[in-house]
Amino acid sequence: MKHPGGPLFGQLNRFLRVGAIGFAIDAGLLWLTVYVFSFPPLMGRAFSFVVTILLTFVLNARYTFKVAPQRSRMPRYGVIQSFGALFNFGAYSGLVTYGQAEPLLALMVGSVVGSTHNFLMMRGFVFKARASEDHEI
């Protein structure tokens, strides 16, 4: 089914859905590791982050961008996700520290900054279909 806003808006809609699923997985795994299995919070967060990156990689490839989730794309995906997290945290930190913004407002702005970066970079550099290496799923 085609999205009424065209392919870009269809991809963005699917990307945001995968992001919501990723957040739920990340939060659930963090809760399990810290509160059920007694991991230290930073170790639990590292575990939940890595698992979430792997799962969202597959979901974004297959569902959002409709390409095969090739291992060769994983390093670019991880780097882009890491930079997106840095941009998210940087925007948050800057707004809270220098702009004296409320933390929840800064969280929303940081999320928009990081997600925008991730979507555009993934669309252009990770999941851009190349006839020689991809086939639609």
Side-chain angles (χ1 to χ4, degrees):
M1 183 169 134
K2 296 207 182 236
H3 193 278
L8 175 66
F9 290 105
Q11 284 180 342
L12 181 59
N13 185 339
R14 293 187 301 270
F15 177 80
L16 293 173
R17 289 178 188 191
V18 168
I21 292 167
F23 178 82
I25 291 167
D26 201 356
L29 286 174
L30 179 61
W31 183 85
L32 277 173
T33 57
V34 171
Y35 296 108
V36 175
F37 297 110
S38 301
F39 281 37
L42 293 178
M43 185 185 293
R45 182 66 183 105
F47 176 78
S48 70
F49 180 77
V50 169
V51 172
T52 300
I53 292 294
L54 294 171
L55 291 172
T56 58
F57 171 73
V58 173
L59 290 173
N60 273 314
R62 290 189 181 277
Y63 176 66
T64 302
F65 298 102
K66 311 271 190 221
V67 297
Q70 299 170 333
R71 271 189 250 174
S72 63
R73 296 172 190 259
M74 192 61 189
R76 285 179 284 179
Y77 186 85
V79 167
I80 287 169
Q81 285 282 20
S82 296
F83 273 101
L86 286 174
F87 292 148
N88 181 328
F89 187 73
Y92 172 84
S93 299
L95 287 169
V96 169
T97 303
Y98 302 109
Q100 298 180 342
E102 291 294 321
L104 290 178
L105 174 63
L107 174 66
M108 288 188 293
V109 171
S111 293
V112 169
V113 169
S115 294
T116 301
H117 165 268
N118 286 350
F119 176 72
L120 294 174
M121 297 303 284
M122 284 178 207
R123 189 170 196 270
F125 297 107
V126 177
F127 296 118
K128 184 175 183 177
R130 292 176 186 85
S132 63
E133 56 182 69
D134 284 326
H135 63 278
E136 278 201 22
I137 296 176

